């Protein structure tokens, strides 16, 4: 038997190894193995088995790892699709589908010694008073961890061992699972009654979950279909789907904020569980709050569809991720909740995938393989015969475009659940406020008064500013010096708490100076300008000294429990005002929040990215949706220096369709997605002239190689909007076409033959979401 192995090295090759007779019973596709490679042994995954090989003098496998295959056939098939579509080696795709802790050579289980009571002996051996006390504790517990027994009895392991020697107890090593939610006490919940819109949406999803009816008569015998045959019409959508198939199995649930999308998810999952199938729930990392996890555990850890709910995300320790993944692989947990990588959870059989906040850009992987979890979810669901629900109050332009064209089935929730009213949104022109205050103020007069009213009425406020730190730049008013990052084309941000200047791109830090760093200046009147969440919190404490204020950004959330602690304090009313970045913009449900203030709404509006308007609209709508989720009507203040921009005005009216139609007109004129599909090629190097020259050569090569693509638009090469990042200069080429699968199939061999200088790196990003 021959095992074809993809090594944990990005070589774009698979290697054949002999399977020794003693390992034949353990070998199967998807198993992790250790193999000899040159003078060393490295890890890899078996991707296929064969009876013969064109190669001679094959070396044997060294070891087979684990108790079962870690990569299921369905996930292996998905990894091959990712490698082809996203122009990356299969080895990198396989690396993404398994958590780091599962890929290791040593099994990641934690073993603990347990003491268990044995049946009583007659006559019982004579025991000392100390031994009798210890035995009494074991008799009460029947079994307990050795470490816990030593603590309870105040004794040593040797004393317990003596009880084992006398045949009264047994001490054995057992797997002790690490459950990140073991100490939580979650009260069970029952399904809620649905309003008419929710009921219609749920029925459509349930219809797709029903198994297809059996054919009336058996088909004539014929050749077996290929299991990994390419999907039809793969150029039409990121998920490579046909126009007919997704209308049945792919749903876009477009519901306003607070419309009860989560309840629809929960009841659809319950139906899938009732059919004996499992479900995957994807949420953006920043929305993966304890509140989200609790809602699913409260519904499914109890009741008729009781199952373990496994959670997979980056805030877990390596050991916790290992144990949660194994719960799914062993079939003990049939629901997986997690961020981007949870799309690869080994749920089998799979009935339903939920992609909540499907418009979120955090679903896109920034390192190779640069997959988009939403699109991978659609491909996986189709290949598994499962349904997929994309949910959002502000769908991505791409998803809504597909729904409009009939590729996805559009479901709409136009009203909030329980007849709650949408918040009143007021746009404040900060140009007028700046003229009144002789400089841009942090709060407009109207927002200041609104916060004061909420404090008096014991209601809560959320203030949003999508920029952390105290000030965005340090400038000398005398010589004009601006503190910039030595590695990136950006200014350094001042963090007052640490008294440091920090780069938010590469992480560079330096001590904040007290005088101008220019040797010929040394002016002491240096000025910090701009606004971040740290300065916003400081301004709040000065304006409202008696208010209880908390801040949530990546500077304040240093420990794993910080997120949960801050939100818990806010939920129970111990915090009056919550300040934060985009991590507070979505996924939070606090009925006592009646005011939301968006401090500088147009921060990201003027970036060199064609999606800047779309992102601003989505962010404003999502943040506004945190207000008025209880009985009291909510109010939102949007402070902006460009108050009449379409993104801000459509967000004020919560008019998604109006925004979509005017934005689509702009995209059609310039042939940008969703009208076309894009690929972004970025060259990086430390010598700017060499990067520019190589980019020009690459553009000419691509123009010639991709000539058969008649509709191809090649833009560039041009310097990246952020020219220098992490000490590397960057130049970009953008390719746009309506046939991305065809482009990807031509691009891979073209780039494989490309000979780049050793000190330059080329990255390929299919369907990019970040152009900076």
């Amino acid at each position: 038997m021959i095992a074809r192995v993809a090594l944990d090295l990005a070589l774009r090759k698979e290697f054949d190894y002999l399977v020794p007779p003693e390992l034949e019973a353990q070998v199967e596709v998807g198993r992790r193995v250790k193999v000899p490679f040159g003078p060393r042994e490295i890890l890899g995954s078996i991707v296929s088995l064969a009876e013969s090989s064109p190669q001679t003098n094959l070396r044997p496998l060294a070891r087979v790892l684990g108790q079962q295959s870690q990569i299921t056939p369905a996930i292996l098939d998905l990894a091959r699709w990712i490698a082809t579509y996203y122009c990356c080696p299969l080895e990198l795709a396989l690396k993404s589908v398994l958590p780091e802790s599962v890929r290791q050579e040593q099994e990641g289980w934690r073993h603990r010694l347990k003491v268990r009571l044995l049946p009583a002996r007659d006559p019982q051996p004579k025991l000392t008073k100390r031994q009798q006390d210890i035995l009494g504790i074991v008799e009460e517990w029947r079994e307990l961890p050795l470490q816990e027994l030593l603590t309870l009895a105040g004794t040593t392991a040797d004393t317990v061992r003596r009880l084992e020697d006398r045949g009264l107890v047994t001490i054995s090593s057992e797997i002790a699972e690490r459950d990140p939610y073991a100490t939580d006490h979650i009260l069970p919940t029952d399904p809620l009654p649905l309003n008419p819109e929710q009921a219609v949406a749920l029925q459509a999803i349930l219809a797709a979950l029903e198994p297809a009816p059996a054919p009336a008569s058996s088909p004539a015998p014929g050749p077996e279909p290929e299991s990994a045959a390419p999907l039809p019409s793969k150029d039409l959508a990121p998920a490579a789907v046909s126009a007919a198939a997704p209308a049945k199995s792919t749903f876009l649930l477009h519901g306003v904020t607070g419309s009860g999308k989560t309840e629809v998810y929960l009841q659809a999952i319950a139906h899938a569980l009732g059919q004996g199938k499992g479900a995957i729930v994807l949420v953006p990392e920043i929305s993966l709050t304890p509140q989200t996890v609790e809602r699913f555990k409260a519904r499914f850890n109890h009741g008729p569809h009781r199952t373990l709910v496994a959670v997979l995300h980056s805030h877990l320790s390596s050991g916790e991720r290992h144990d949660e993944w194994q719960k799914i692989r062993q079939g003990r947990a049939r629901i997986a909740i997690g961020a981007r990588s949870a799309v690869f959870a080994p749920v089998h059989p799979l009935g339903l995938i939920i992609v909540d906040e499907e418009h979120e850009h955090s679903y896109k992987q920034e390192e190779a393989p640069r997959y988009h979890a939403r699109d991978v979810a659609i491909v996986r669901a189709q290949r598994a015969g499962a349904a997929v629900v994309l949910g959002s109050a502000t769908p991505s332009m791409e998803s809504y475009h597909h729904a409009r064209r009939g590729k996805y089935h559009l479901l709409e929730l136009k009203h909030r659940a329980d007849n709650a009213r949408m918040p009143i949104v007021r746009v404040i022109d900060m140009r007028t406020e700046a003229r009144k205050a002789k400089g841009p103020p942090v709060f407009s007069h109207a927002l200041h008064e609104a916060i004061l009213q909420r404090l008096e009425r014991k209601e809560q406020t959320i203030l949003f500013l999508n920029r952390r730190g105290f000030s965005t730049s340090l400038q000398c008013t005398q010589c004009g010096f601006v503190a910039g990052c030595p590695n990136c084309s950006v200014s350094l941000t001042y963090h007052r708490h640490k008294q440091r200047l920090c780069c938010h791109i590469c992480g560079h830090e330096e001590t904040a100076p007290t005088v101008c760093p220019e040797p010929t200046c040394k002016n002491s009147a240096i000025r910090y300008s701009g606004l971040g969440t740290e300065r916003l919190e400081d301004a709040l404490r000065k304006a409202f000294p008696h208010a209880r204020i908390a801040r949530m950004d990546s500077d304040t959330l240093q420990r794993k429990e910080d997120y949960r602690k801050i939100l818990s304090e806010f939920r129970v009313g111990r915090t009056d005002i919550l300040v934060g970045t985009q991590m507070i913009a979505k996924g939070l449900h606090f009925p006592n929040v009646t005011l939301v203030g968006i401090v500088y709404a147009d921060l990201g509006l003027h970036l060199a990215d064609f999606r800047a308007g779309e992102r601003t609209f989505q962010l404003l709508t999502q943040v506004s949706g945190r207000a008025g989720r209880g009985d009291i009507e909510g109010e939102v203040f949007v402070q902006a220096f460009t108050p009449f921009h379409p993104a801000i005005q459509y967000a004020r009216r919560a008019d998604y369709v109006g925004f979509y139609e005017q934005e689509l007109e702009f995209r059609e004129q310039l042939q940008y997605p969703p009208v076309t599909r894009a690929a972004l090629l970025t060259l990086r190097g430390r010598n700017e002239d060499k990067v520019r020259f190589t980019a020009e050569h690459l553009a000419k090569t691509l123009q010639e190689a991709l000539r058969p693509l008649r509709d191809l638009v090649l833009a560039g090469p041009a310097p990246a909007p952020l020219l220098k990042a992490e000490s590397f200069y960057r130049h970009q080429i953008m390719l746009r076409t309506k046939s991305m699968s065809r482009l990807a199939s031509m691009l891979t061999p073209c780039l494989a033959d490309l000979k780049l200088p050793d000190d330059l790196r080329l990255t390929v990003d299919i369907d990019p979401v970040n152009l900076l």
Side-chain angles (χ1 to χ4, degrees), residues 324-339:
E324 293 289 293
W325 188 91
Q326 291 290 357
K327 283 180 196 172
I328 305 167
R329 183 68 184 99
Q330 295 168 3
R332 292 183 291 129
R334 291 196 292 151
I335 299 175
I337 302 178

PDB file of all heavy atoms in Angstrom, residues 324-339:
ATOM      1  N   GLU A 324     -12.290  21.030  22.972  1.00  0.00           N
ATOM      2  CA  GLU A 324     -13.550  21.400  22.329  1.00  0.00           C
ATOM      3  C   GLU A 324     -13.635  20.776  20.931  1.00  0.00           C
ATOM      4  O   GLU A 324     -14.685  20.277  20.525  1.00  0.00           O
ATOM      5  CB  GLU A 324     -13.669  22.925  22.237  1.00  0.00           C
ATOM      6  CG  GLU A 324     -13.821  23.636  23.572  1.00  0.00           C
ATOM      7  CD  GLU A 324     -15.167  23.404  24.219  1.00  0.00           C
ATOM      8  OE1 GLU A 324     -16.189  23.863  23.689  1.00  0.00           O
ATOM      9  OE2 GLU A 324     -15.204  22.715  25.263  1.00  0.00           O
ATOM     10  N   TRP A 325     -12.527  20.792  20.187  1.00  0.00           N
ATOM     11  CA  TRP A 325     -12.505  20.208  18.846  1.00  0.00           C
ATOM     12  C   TRP A 325     -12.750  18.702  18.918  1.00  0.00           C
ATOM     13  O   TRP A 325     -13.492  18.144  18.099  1.00  0.00           O
ATOM     14  CB  TRP A 325     -11.160  20.502  18.171  1.00  0.00           C
ATOM     15  CG  TRP A 325     -11.100  20.111  16.724  1.00  0.00           C
ATOM     16  CD1 TRP A 325     -11.416  20.889  15.643  1.00  0.00           C
ATOM     17  CD2 TRP A 325     -10.684  18.845  16.192  1.00  0.00           C
ATOM     18  NE1 TRP A 325     -11.230  20.183  14.472  1.00  0.00           N
ATOM     19  CE2 TRP A 325     -10.779  18.926  14.780  1.00  0.00           C
ATOM     20  CE3 TRP A 325     -10.244  17.656  16.757  1.00  0.00           C
ATOM     21  CZ2 TRP A 325     -10.459  17.860  13.941  1.00  0.00           C
ATOM     22  CZ3 TRP A 325      -9.925  16.581  15.921  1.00  0.00           C
ATOM     23  CH2 TRP A 325     -10.029  16.695  14.525  1.00  0.00           C
ATOM     24  N   GLN A 326     -12.132  18.043  19.894  1.00  0.00           N
ATOM     25  CA  GLN A 326     -12.300  16.593  20.024  1.00  0.00           C
ATOM     26  C   GLN A 326     -13.735  16.223  20.380  1.00  0.00           C
ATOM     27  O   GLN A 326     -14.233  15.164  19.965  1.00  0.00           O
ATOM     28  CB  GLN A 326     -11.331  16.044  21.087  1.00  0.00           C
ATOM     29  CG  GLN A 326      -9.854  16.097  20.700  1.00  0.00           C
ATOM     30  CD  GLN A 326      -9.494  15.109  19.599  1.00  0.00           C
ATOM     31  OE1 GLN A 326     -10.317  14.323  19.143  1.00  0.00           O
ATOM     32  NE2 GLN A 326      -8.243  15.141  19.157  1.00  0.00           N
ATOM     33  N   LYS A 327     -14.423  17.063  21.147  1.00  0.00           N
ATOM     34  CA  LYS A 327     -15.844  16.801  21.446  1.00  0.00           C
ATOM     35  C   LYS A 327     -16.650  16.704  20.154  1.00  0.00           C
ATOM     36  O   LYS A 327     -17.543  15.874  20.019  1.00  0.00           O
ATOM     37  CB  LYS A 327     -16.422  17.944  22.297  1.00  0.00           C
ATOM     38  CG  LYS A 327     -16.045  17.944  23.760  1.00  0.00           C
ATOM     39  CD  LYS A 327     -16.719  19.141  24.424  1.00  0.00           C
ATOM     40  CE  LYS A 327     -16.102  19.450  25.774  1.00  0.00           C
ATOM     41  NZ  LYS A 327     -16.613  20.715  26.338  1.00  0.00           N
ATOM     42  N   ILE A 328     -16.313  17.583  19.206  1.00  0.00           N
ATOM     43  CA  ILE A 328     -17.035  17.583  17.926  1.00  0.00           C
ATOM     44  C   ILE A 328     -16.634  16.360  17.104  1.00  0.00           C
ATOM     45  O   ILE A 328     -17.487  15.646  16.568  1.00  0.00           O
ATOM     46  CB  ILE A 328     -16.725  18.872  17.133  1.00  0.00           C
ATOM     47  CG1 ILE A 328     -17.034  20.113  17.963  1.00  0.00           C
ATOM     48  CG2 ILE A 328     -17.514  18.896  15.834  1.00  0.00           C
ATOM     49  CD1 ILE A 328     -16.464  21.392  17.390  1.00  0.00           C
ATOM     50  N   ARG A 329     -15.342  16.084  17.030  1.00  0.00           N
ATOM     51  CA  ARG A 329     -14.850  14.965  16.210  1.00  0.00           C
ATOM     52  C   ARG A 329     -15.393  13.639  16.700  1.00  0.00           C
ATOM     53  O   ARG A 329     -15.687  12.738  15.908  1.00  0.00           O
ATOM     54  CB  ARG A 329     -13.303  14.941  16.226  1.00  0.00           C
ATOM     55  CG  ARG A 329     -12.694  13.853  15.338  1.00  0.00           C
ATOM     56  CD  ARG A 329     -12.948  14.153  13.882  1.00  0.00           C
ATOM     57  NE  ARG A 329     -12.460  13.103  13.000  1.00  0.00           N
ATOM     58  CZ  ARG A 329     -13.219  12.150  12.479  1.00  0.00           C
ATOM     59  NH1 ARG A 329     -14.514  12.112  12.760  1.00  0.00           N
ATOM     60  NH2 ARG A 329     -12.725  11.244  11.668  1.00  0.00           N
ATOM     61  N   GLN A 330     -15.553  13.496  18.007  1.00  0.00           N
ATOM     62  CA  GLN A 330     -16.064  12.248  18.578  1.00  0.00           C
ATOM     63  C   GLN A 330     -17.583  12.176  18.566  1.00  0.00           C
ATOM     64  O   GLN A 330     -18.167  11.178  19.003  1.00  0.00           O
ATOM     65  CB  GLN A 330     -15.548  12.090  20.014  1.00  0.00           C
ATOM     66  CG  GLN A 330     -14.034  11.920  20.091  1.00  0.00           C
ATOM     67  CD  GLN A 330     -13.503  12.053  21.512  1.00  0.00           C
ATOM     68  OE1 GLN A 330     -14.262  12.220  22.458  1.00  0.00           O
ATOM     69  NE2 GLN A 330     -12.181  11.978  21.658  1.00  0.00           N
ATOM     70  N   GLY A 331     -18.243  13.251  18.087  1.00  0.00           N
ATOM     71  CA  GLY A 331     -19.689  13.236  17.980  1.00  0.00           C
ATOM     72  C   GLY A 331     -20.431  13.555  19.263  1.00  0.00           C
ATOM     73  O   GLY A 331     -21.662  13.473  19.319  1.00  0.00           O
ATOM     74  N   ARG A 332     -19.702  13.941  20.332  1.00  0.00           N
ATOM     75  CA  ARG A 332     -20.366  14.266  21.603  1.00  0.00           C
ATOM     76  C   ARG A 332     -20.989  15.652  21.559  1.00  0.00           C
ATOM     77  O   ARG A 332     -21.969  15.914  22.246  1.00  0.00           O
ATOM     78  CB  ARG A 332     -19.370  14.156  22.760  1.00  0.00           C
ATOM     79  CG  ARG A 332     -18.923  12.723  23.018  1.00  0.00           C
ATOM     80  CD  ARG A 332     -17.999  12.624  24.206  1.00  0.00           C
ATOM     81  NE  ARG A 332     -16.706  13.239  23.947  1.00  0.00           N
ATOM     82  CZ  ARG A 332     -16.135  14.129  24.728  1.00  0.00           C
ATOM     83  NH1 ARG A 332     -16.740  14.546  25.818  1.00  0.00           N
ATOM     84  NH2 ARG A 332     -14.950  14.629  24.430  1.00  0.00           N
ATOM     85  N   ALA A 333     -20.407  16.548  20.792  1.00  0.00           N
ATOM     86  CA  ALA A 333     -20.982  17.890  20.598  1.00  0.00           C
ATOM     87  C   ALA A 333     -21.452  17.974  19.151  1.00  0.00           C
ATOM     88  O   ALA A 333     -20.677  17.723  18.223  1.00  0.00           O
ATOM     89  CB  ALA A 333     -19.954  18.968  20.892  1.00  0.00           C
ATOM     90  N   ARG A 334     -22.719  18.340  18.961  1.00  0.00           N
ATOM     91  CA  ARG A 334     -23.257  18.400  17.595  1.00  0.00           C
ATOM     92  C   ARG A 334     -23.473  19.833  17.131  1.00  0.00           C
ATOM     93  O   ARG A 334     -23.946  20.057  16.025  1.00  0.00           O
ATOM     94  CB  ARG A 334     -24.559  17.604  17.516  1.00  0.00           C
ATOM     95  CG  ARG A 334     -24.323  16.097  17.666  1.00  0.00           C
ATOM     96  CD  ARG A 334     -25.528  15.307  17.202  1.00  0.00           C
ATOM     97  NE  ARG A 334     -26.678  15.510  18.091  1.00  0.00           N
ATOM     98  CZ  ARG A 334     -27.944  15.441  17.689  1.00  0.00           C
ATOM     99  NH1 ARG A 334     -28.223  15.228  16.426  1.00  0.00           N
ATOM    100  NH2 ARG A 334     -28.921  15.606  18.556  1.00  0.00           N
ATOM    101  N   ILE A 335     -23.141  20.793  17.994  1.00  0.00           N
ATOM    102  CA  ILE A 335     -23.195  22.198  17.597  1.00  0.00           C
ATOM    103  C   ILE A 335     -21.824  22.816  17.855  1.00  0.00           C
ATOM    104  O   ILE A 335     -21.283  22.690  18.954  1.00  0.00           O
ATOM    105  CB  ILE A 335     -24.261  22.975  18.396  1.00  0.00           C
ATOM    106  CG1 ILE A 335     -25.650  22.390  18.163  1.00  0.00           C
ATOM    107  CG2 ILE A 335     -24.250  24.451  18.009  1.00  0.00           C
ATOM    108  CD1 ILE A 335     -26.726  23.027  19.021  1.00  0.00           C
ATOM    109  N   ALA A 336     -21.260  23.446  16.849  1.00  0.00           N
ATOM    110  CA  ALA A 336     -19.979  24.150  16.986  1.00  0.00           C
ATOM    111  C   ALA A 336     -20.230  25.635  16.781  1.00  0.00           C
ATOM    112  O   ALA A 336     -20.809  26.039  15.770  1.00  0.00           O
ATOM    113  CB  ALA A 336     -18.971  23.642  15.966  1.00  0.00           C
ATOM    114  N   ILE A 337     -19.833  26.441  17.764  1.00  0.00           N
ATOM    115  CA  ILE A 337     -19.920  27.891  17.648  1.00  0.00           C
ATOM    116  C   ILE A 337     -18.505  28.443  17.620  1.00  0.00           C
ATOM    117  O   ILE A 337     -17.669  28.047  18.434  1.00  0.00           O
ATOM    118  CB  ILE A 337     -20.671  28.513  18.844  1.00  0.00           C
ATOM    119  CG1 ILE A 337     -22.073  27.933  18.969  1.00  0.00           C
ATOM    120  CG2 ILE A 337     -20.759  30.026  18.699  1.00  0.00           C
ATOM    121  CD1 ILE A 337     -22.830  28.471  20.156  1.00  0.00           C
ATOM    122  N   GLY A 338     -18.239  29.330  16.708  1.00  0.00           N
ATOM    123  CA  GLY A 338     -16.889  29.872  16.686  1.00  0.00           C
ATOM    124  C   GLY A 338     -16.718  30.960  15.647  1.00  0.00           C
ATOM    125  O   GLY A 338     -17.652  31.319  14.918  1.00  0.00           O
ATOM    126  N   ALA A 339     -15.504  31.476  15.597  1.00  0.00           N
ATOM    127  CA  ALA A 339     -15.155  32.499  14.626  1.00  0.00           C
ATOM    128  C   ALA A 339     -14.783  31.818  13.304  1.00  0.00           C
ATOM    129  O   ALA A 339     -15.139  30.667  13.064  1.00  0.00           O
ATOM    130  CB  ALA A 339     -14.024  33.355  15.172  1.00  0.00           C
TER     131      ALA A 339
END
